[in-house]
Amino acid sequence: MTTSHAAEGAPTGRVIYAWRQERRADRRRMIRRHLLARGIRDPRVLAAMAWVPRERFVAPAQARRAYDDAPLPTTHGQTISQPYIVALMTAEAGLSRRSRVLEIGTGTGYHTAVLAKLADFVWTVERVPELSQDAAHHLAQLGITNVVFVVGDGAQGYAPVAPYHAIVVSAAAPAAPPRLLNQLDLWGRLVIPVGDIGLQELMVYRRTPTGFDAHSAGPCRFVPLLSPAAFDE
Ligand code: SAH
């Protein structure tokens, strides 16, 4: 007698379909409650957030909480940023379809996937090799091909292909690292949490013909950027 996968407890096509429909509904709810309601209006950012399946980037036990407006624990003791902050940082980066983007702190790769949906190309730097590898694997599974994964100290930026239209840093620094500012194109933007360990302001620096202008997009809380150029280990 042959046993089917369904009989052995593996999910059937119908169960997988129903699960995906539920997560799609979760994403629509996330967009209404956590993004639109808090002022994220950019239709391209909302479309990218509606596309990326966040549940694939969290630990399996957390999949049903994947769309809560909270940072969640992932493997390797890391956290995935909350959806509102990912959307806010992405909107502040001011991306177009032609943008070349540098991301610092790949983490799970969730934010990388959102950036890759909006921009021409993304270079993403992570200091923990295992995280970089897992993120690369997740993005390949989603069919995302416009990302290069780099392992190293992101506070140094990534000089070989600079300058960038936007640099998005997902870890906190005591001040904007000069190397990152230097790798911005004219009118390019650096989005970075600046402050103390535990509480920061989400700062946006823009390169102008005469220097930089800056504004704060609000308070935030990120893990530290571990580097001699930021928070030393
Ligand atoms: N945006 C990510 C979460 C990033 S958490 C997501 O959506 O999943 C911050 C990440 O920054 C962690 O993975 C941490 O390992 C990484 N990090 C910390 N210091 C770094 C440095 N100097 N260079 C590169 N990555 C760094």
Side-chain angles (χ1 to χ4, degrees), residues 78-79 81 105 107-108 111 126-127 131 152-154 170 223-226:
Q78 291 296 327
T79 52
S81 314
T108 62
H111 197 172
E126 170 57 55
R127 63 188 283 275
L131 289 177
D153 177 9
S170 296
V223 299
L225 184 65
L226 296 176

Side-chain angles (χ1 to χ4, degrees), residues 128-198:
V128 182
E130 294 78 16
L131 289 177
S132 184
Q133 280 155 19
D134 285 2
H137 174 70
H138 281 127
L139 267 65
Q141 279 189 329
L142 292 175
I144 293 173
T145 55
N146 56 337
V147 178
V148 165
F149 294 82
V150 179
V151 174
D153 177 9
Q156 310 303 323
Y158 186 59
V161 291
Y164 303 95
H165 298 119
I167 301 178
V168 176
V169 186
S170 296
R179 293 259 170 113
L180 296 185
L181 289 168
N182 285 337
Q183 290 177 23
L184 280 179
D185 210 348
L186 181 61
W187 304 119
R189 298 184 194 187
L190 168 64
V191 182
I192 181 170
V194 173
D196 303 327
I197 289 183

